[in-house]
Amino acid sequence: MTAKYRSIVLILSLALALLLSALPLQAENTVVLPDIENLQFDGTESTGSKNIKWKFSWDSVPTGVTVKAQVKAASFGSFGGLWVSVNLSVSRSGGKTRVSFHAPSSNNLNARFKVLNSAGQSTPWESTTAGSS
């Protein structure tokens, strides 16, 4: 092997060793993500406009994670619908994670939620259907 190829192999080996040595550090700081369990619709709250506050909760998840939510906007023929992200208010109390967001009043609202950690891992989407009164 020539000196040029040995240098390339050495550089690649060092780069790989650095990448592999950083993996345990990332794993130690990663929050474990339990599945969203016992998702329930907690009702709606009037906001004095066409939109209402939709409220949901589930068994608690760890702090230090991000919660995402989407609602199904519309169906078009055989197309099942478009999921749209919503801005959430998130709190944790009484052993539950509680979320709320503003969306139009509807007979049926399809919503789904997932939890993400800083390492980019996420739970599967957990879906539910709710209705306002």
Side-chain angles (χ1 to χ4, degrees):
M1 205 185 312
T2 67
K4 178 181 175 182
Y5 290 117
R6 278 192 296 250
S7 296
I8 291 172
V9 168
L10 178 63
I11 290 171
L12 290 175
S13 298
L14 288 173
L16 182 60
L18 285 172
L19 287 173
L20 292 176
S21 68
L23 288 176
L25 293 175
Q26 289 177 345
E28 289 175 14
N29 294 328
T30 301
V31 176
V32 176
L33 297 174
D35 289 337
I36 294 174
E37 293 182 349
N38 301 320
L39 174 62
Q40 65 183 37
F41 173 57
D42 293 333
T44 60
E45 184 179 309
S46 176
T47 60
S49 68
K50 293 180 182 180
N51 289 342
I52 59 175
K53 183 187 279 187
W54 294 84
K55 299 184 283 185
F56 297 85
S57 64
W58 58 84
D59 290 350
S60 190
V61 296
T63 56
V65 298
T66 302
V67 177
K68 297 224 178 205
Q70 294 181 337
V71 295
K72 191 172 275 192
S75 297
F76 305 101
S78 63
F79 177 66
L82 178 66
W83 288 101
V84 178
S85 293
V86 294
N87 291 326
L88 286 177
S89 294
V90 179
S91 66
R92 292 172 179 88
S93 65
K96 295 273 189 188
T97 294
R98 301 178 192 285
V99 297
S100 63
F101 56 88
H102 292 88
S105 178
S106 172
N107 290 336
N108 288 307
L109 176 86
N110 294 316
R112 65 184 186 177
F113 304 91
K114 75 175 175 177
V115 179
L116 302 95
N117 64 18
S118 59
Q121 300 168 322
S122 68
T123 62
W125 285 106
E126 185 70 28
S127 300
T128 189
T129 300
S132 64
S133 47

